[in-house]
Structure formats: C-alpha cells, structure tokens
C-alpha cells in the first residue's frame, strides 16, 4: 500500500491531552489512515518530522473572515499560526442574508465595528448571493487553503427583514417572521448557529448602534428559540455592557442562564479581565457552572494574552485627529520623517498632545493615551518597557519619547496599548477553566488595529515554552480537541485513524510569532497588519500539504464545514 502522505518520525501530540509518543502518520483520501510506531509503506509525499511535534491542526472559533475568504483563499494570517479550521460570522456580523440593493447596509454594520474597509469589501467581493444558504454555496465554490464554518448574524438578518429601519426600530410581526424563517433556512443549509452583539463597542461610521443592538431581548430570545425548536446551533453573543452595577450584571447573567436552560441551545461569549475592574470577569465564570447545574450548556471564549491595540506611524496613533497632528499625518511617511526631525515641529506636536481633549474610543479605536500602559514593542512576545519608563530614562516628555523612539527606527516600530487582560495570572486562570475555550483571534477584522491571529502560537511559545505553565499536551489540547468539541467539529481536533487529516508539524523549541508588519495587500490597496511565524514545518489540510516552512505549496484543499442540520 502507498499512502498519499506520510509524516515520519515525529513526536505525536494527538490533541487528547494524553502523553506524547513517537510515531508515523499515514494519510489517504484526506483522512488519517494509520498511526504506527513505524510505517513500512511509503507515501507519494513525505514530511520528515524528526525532532518535531505532529499535532492536529488548530481550530479558531472566533474570526470575522466572512469577507476575507472572498479574496484571500489561504486564510492569512491564521494559516501561518497552525490554524486549519475557523468559525466566522461572530458578533452578529455576516455578509448574508443581503439583497443586491442593500449591500451598503451590511457594509455599514461591518466597516467601523470590525475595522474592515468598505472599499476593500466592494473591490474584493463578487456578490453572488442573497440568502445565507447561497452565501455558504459561494464559500464552498471559492478556493480555500483552510476550512471555514460560519454562523448567520443578527445584524444581517435585521437589515434583510427591515431594511434601513433595522438601525432604529423594532420589527413588525411580519418582519420577525421573516427573520425566523431565514434563520431556519440558514441552519438547514449548514450555519453553525446564530450570533448577535449588544455591546456599545459596536457602532456604525455615523456613531449609531449596529442593527443588532437595537433589538429588544425578547427578539433575541425568539430567534434563539428557533435553534431550540430545531435542536441545532450555537448562540454567540457580544454581551451587554453592565459596567460595575451589580443589579444590571445579575439581571443580564440571569437572562443568559435562563436562555441556555429554557431553549437547550449552547451559549458562548468572550471574556477578558481588566485592570480597571480586576474581578469583573469572575461572576461570568461562576455563571458557567451555575448554568451547567441548571441543565444548560455555556462556554466562555478566552484569549492567551493581553488584548492590545498596535500603534504606529505606519497605521494609527492616539493623536491623529488632533489638528496639529492631522496636518502631519496626512503627508506621505517620507515627509513625516523629515518633519519630525525639526525640533519646532516636535515641540508643537508634544504640546498639542498634552493639551488635547480626547474623544471616547469605541472598541479598538484610539483613546486617551496612558503612557504607563503604552509599551514599545521590541519583540513579539514581551514583556515590554513602557513609554513612561523610557521617557523617564531619557528625561523627556512621554509624547516626545514616542516620537524619538519612532524616528530612531525610521518610523517602523510599534507601540502596544493593552485594552484588557493585563494580568497574566488572570489570563492563565481563565485559560485553565474547564468551561472555557482558548480562541478569539478576531482574524479578518480590526485589520489596522489588532494582530491576534498569532494567539495560538503564543500558547506554545509563551505558556508552554517560556513560562512552562502548561505542558505541551495541555497547550495542544486547548487549541485542538477543546474547540473542536465546543463547535461540534467531531471529525477534527484529534489525530485518530478515520478522522480528517488536518495536521500541523512544528518545532517546539522554535515556534514563535514574528514581528508584525504593515502591508497594503487588501483589495484596492488598503492596508492591514500582518504577522507570520517561525518554527512551523508544515500545515496539512484534509490530507494535502498547504504550507511548508510558512510558504504556500499551491494547494487549496480547504472545505466548507457545514453545521449539524446539513450533515444529517
């Protein structure tokens, strides 16, 4: 017998959490055909995995690749970090359902809330669908390097049923019936579930709530009830902003628990800690166990590091909207370099930044800088030195320090501004919780603000290798079996004979994220942040090698992963 692919001599970490072992993996017809200490048969293609780890491909359950999949078949930057399957359509934002004459409404929901340039979407998407089922058919037709699954989003359902009124009003009975009908059709076609947003961090470009935020809770409950009636689907929510009001928090958590218990639908949401309210996350994690005791299912989505905005002269700075800065920042970067070396210009900019009134930042947008919590990014992992400390060392104002540090690096440097998860002990505690899943890259969104597609690599390089807080087996399980189980991808997330051959081969001593960079590779030349990785020897998707040493082989074996109703 000849295998399509043999991965030879590697250390198998199979995703289960069980101890590693030495073995060969044989692949035939896109599935794992045999795992043995030594395979005598050859492969049409072989990977030498001596001194390397062989693990299941990583799964990211929280992305926004709904638009990107139309123009980027590889699934960058996630594919460079061992990810072989993603779930898109989170937070209520999807490209379908959408009528041809109302595409601008879908773009309005996405453009500011998820920092996806409207011009890139217009240039890069060949709109060939109206319903969500038709969108899934389009994804299935497109070339794909990795696997994609998708939810249907509340904001899109509202604009499809209500048009412009979705941003301001409650639905009529007929409009509510139309949303429920389209949701049921989407689930039947393979949607993984239904998502919504109720957070004030999601606004349109005209500073109004995205469509899903206008909905009353009864509307949400009725739509989740559709999944309950059908016995399929997951409900993901970008949650309400209860602040530090204990009564509001208790009310919201009670509604979430009751929704999970009464409908029987699994409920999931993302959670971070925050230095401004260090223990605000704990009642949410108590809710996970409380819901389970009441007979419901609920799981949290957590990050592997601080959620941070990247600041740069190449992208955005907190000062860009100030009049004195705006004139400079509208110039080409070469002209900015020259101007910033002028002491008079520098002093004017420093004075303007220190005297400014800063607007409230929404989501990952720019906000008032706290220089004790803005750090110079000298390497991808950290820890980093704060701008305040660097300014004190130099005996200059923090704004002047940011300018000088950037000028010294030809303006090609990043500053890191954590928004959440500043306390690494809290991060590890949340990662270890039995009802949490490590995910939440937001890959495909916040393209000029955040670079978190490397969170899986961070688990391996930081928590496993540097901190040694997790064993390699624990870290791999967090990225494979746990998300596969949470999202019902039962043929993935483990290396077992008969399961899909999604495999990643990496060097545990070298695997690490590289420094981010700014590229103009979106449709129409729009910019985004990009981050590659070192230490990954190969990524295998459905039995075909997609990446070798981070370079595309030319293969596009990715598939659309349809939800449970479409599999029956």
């Amino acid at each position: 017998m000849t295998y399509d692919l043999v991965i030879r001599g590697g250390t198998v970490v199979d995703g289960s959490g069980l101890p590693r072992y030495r073995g060969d993996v044989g692949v035939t017809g896109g599935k794992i055909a045999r795992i043995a200490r030594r395979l005598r048969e050859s492969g049409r293609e072989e990977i030498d995995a001596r001194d390397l780890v062989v693990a299941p491909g990583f799964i990211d359950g929280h992305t926004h690749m709904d638009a990107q999949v139309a123009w980027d078949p590889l699934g960058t930057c996630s594919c460079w970090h061992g990810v072989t399957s993603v779930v898109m359509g989170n937070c209520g934002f999807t490209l379908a359902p959408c009528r041809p004459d109302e595409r601008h409404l879908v773009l309005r929901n996405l453009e500011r809330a998820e920092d996806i340039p409207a011009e890139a979407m217009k240039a890069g998407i060949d709109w060939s669908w109206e319903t969500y089922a038709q969108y899934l058919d389009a994804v299935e037709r497109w070339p794909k390097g990795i696997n994609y699954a998708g939810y249907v989003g509340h904001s899109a359902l509202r604009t499809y049923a209500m048009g412009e009124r979705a941003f301001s009003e409650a639905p009529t009975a007929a409009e509510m019936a139309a949303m429920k009908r389209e949701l049921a059709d989407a689930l039947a076609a393979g949607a993984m579930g239904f998502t919504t947003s109720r957070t004030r961090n999601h606004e349109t470009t005209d500073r109004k709530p995205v469509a899903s935020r206008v909905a009353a809770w009864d509307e949400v409950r009725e739509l989740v009830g559709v999944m309950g009636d059908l016995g399929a689907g997951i409900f993901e929510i970008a949650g309400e902003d209860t602040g530090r009001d204990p009564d509001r928090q208790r009310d919201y958590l009670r509604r979430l628990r009751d929704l999970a218990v009464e409908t029987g639908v699994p409920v999931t949401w993302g959670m971070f800690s925050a230095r401004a309210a260090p223990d605000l996350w704990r009642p949410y994690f108590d809710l996970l166990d409380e819901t389970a005791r009441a007979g419901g299912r609920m799981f949290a989505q957590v990050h592997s590091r601080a959620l941070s905005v990247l600041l740069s002269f190449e992208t955005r700075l907190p000062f860009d909207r100030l009049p004195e800065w705006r004139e400079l920042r509208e110039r080409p970067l070469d002209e900015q370099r020259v101007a910033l070396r002028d002491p008079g210009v520098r002093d004017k900019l420093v004075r303007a930044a220190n005297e400014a009134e800063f607007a409230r930042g929404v989501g990952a947008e720019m906000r008032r800088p706290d220089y004790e919590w803005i750090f110079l990014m000298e390497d991808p992992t950290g820890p980093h030195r704060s701008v305040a400390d660097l300014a004190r060392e130099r005996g200059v104002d923090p704004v002047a320090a940011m300018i000088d540090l950037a000028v010294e690096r030809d303006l090609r440097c990043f500053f890191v501004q954590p928004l959440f998860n500043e306390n690494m002990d809290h991060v590890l505690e949340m990662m270890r919780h039995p009802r949490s899943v490590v995910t939440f890259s937001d890959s495909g969104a916040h393209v000029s603000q955040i670079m978190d597609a490397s969170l899986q690599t961070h688990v391996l390089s930081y928590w496993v290798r540097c901190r040694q807080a997790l064993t390699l087996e624990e870290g791999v399980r967090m990225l494979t079996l746990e998300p596969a189980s949470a999202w019902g991808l039962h043929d993935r997330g483990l290396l077992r004979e008969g399961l899909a051959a999604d495999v990643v081969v990496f060097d545990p001593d070298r695997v690490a994220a590289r420094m981010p960079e700014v590229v103009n590779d979106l449709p129409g030349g729009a910019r985004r942040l990009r981050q590659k990785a070192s230490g990954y020897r190969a990524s295998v998707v459905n039995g075909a090698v997609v990446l070798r040493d981070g370079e595309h082989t030319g293969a596009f074996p990715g598939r659309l992963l349809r939800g449970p109703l479409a599999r029956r």
Side-chain angles (χ1 to χ4, degrees), residues 304-519:
S304 64
R305 63 186 182 205
L307 177 65
S308 300
V309 174
L310 295 186
L311 312 176
S312 164
F313 276 86
E314 293 184 273
T315 54
R316 299 179 184 181
L317 293 168
F319 324 114
D320 287 348
R321 293 179 181 173
L322 305 180
E324 296 86 350
W325 280 79
R326 189 184 306 124
E327 188 275 330
L328 171 79
R329 299 287 284 133
E330 289 174 350
R331 300 187 205 173
L333 208 59
D334 287 341
E335 293 184 18
Q336 293 184 49
R337 290 188 185 96
V338 174
L340 289 167
R341 289 186 172 92
D342 183 330
V345 171
R346 177 178 175 274
D347 291 346
K348 182 180 75 171
L349 295 174
V350 170
R351 186 165 54 253
N354 287 327
E355 295 173 354
E357 294 291 331
F358 288 86
R360 177 180 70 90
V362 174
E365 291 180 348
M366 298 299 101
R367 60 203 64 218
R368 173 177 290 279
D370 178 348
Y371 302 105
E372 299 287 353
W373 285 94
I374 296 179
F375 303 89
L376 176 65
M377 189 178 195
E378 297 176 277
D379 64 80
T381 304
H384 309 295
R385 294 180 293 170
S386 74
V387 168
D389 282 342
L390 290 165
R392 283 189 283 268
E393 287 178 15
R394 292 167 174 244
V396 298
D397 182 275
V399 182
M402 286 185 73
I403 294 172
D404 295 344
L405 289 163
V407 168
E408 290 162 10
R409 292 159 177 79
D410 200 31
L411 301 192
R412 299 191 183 280
C413 71
F414 290 102
F415 299 94
V416 183
Q417 183 176 21
L419 304 181
F420 299 104
N421 270 10
E422 301 95 337
N423 185 320
M424 290 300 105
D425 292 336
H426 287 175
V427 171
L428 182 60
E429 188 176 350
M430 285 189 280
M431 290 171 63
R432 283 188 171 279
H433 193 282
R435 301 190 195 279
S436 73
V437 180
V438 177
T439 183
F440 221 105
S441 73
D442 265 347
S443 193
H446 306 296
V447 297
S448 67
Q449 301 167 327
I450 291 173
M451 179 35 65
D452 282 345
S454 57
L455 75 86
Q456 288 83 10
T457 298
H458 190 78
V459 171
L460 302 174
S461 64
Y462 180 73
W463 291 111
V464 173
R465 188 173 68 236
C466 296
R467 282 279 299 265
Q468 298 183 8
L470 301 173
T471 65
L472 181 59
E473 289 84 352
E474 287 173 326
V476 168
R477 178 186 166 98
M478 284 180 175
L479 305 176
T480 57
L481 178 61
E482 291 181 7
S485 300
W487 277 277
L489 304 176
H490 300 306
D491 60 343
R492 297 167 204 275
L494 280 173
L495 296 184
R496 290 284 188 276
E497 293 175 7
L499 298 190
D502 290 351
V503 186
V504 61
V505 181
F506 63 90
D507 183 341
D509 297 323
R510 290 184 55 247
V511 65
R514 296 179 185 173
M515 284 292 285
E517 57 184 338
V518 179
V519 294

Side-chain angles (χ1 to χ4, degrees), residues 60 63 65 74-84 86 146 441 443-444 453 456 531:
D60 191 343
T63 78
M65 288 191 171
L74 265 185
T76 61
C77 301
S78 293
C79 67
W80 292 318
H81 297 275
V83 172
T84 56
V86 300
I146 61 174
S441 73
S443 193
Q456 288 83 10
Q531 187 174 32

Side-chain angles (χ1 to χ4, degrees), residues 5-11 22-25 45-54 505-507 535-538 540 545 548-549:
L5 172 68
V6 173
I7 304 171
R8 246 181 233 290
T11 299
R22 186 69 56 82
D24 295 347
V25 179
E45 187 174 4
E46 299 213 356
I47 296 173
D48 181 356
R50 286 174 296 178
D51 301 320
L52 303 175
V53 168
V54 181
V505 181
F506 63 90
D507 183 341
Y536 288 100
R537 177 63 54 83
V540 178
V545 181
R548 279 186 181 267
D549 297 316

Side-chain angles (χ1 to χ4, degrees), residues 154 158 170-171 176 179 215-224:
H154 193 180
R158 279 192 128 242
M176 190 70 219
M179 279 193 274
W217 184 255
D218 283 346
E219 179 181 320
V220 174
R221 187 168 54 190
E222 200 166 340
L223 290 167
V224 175

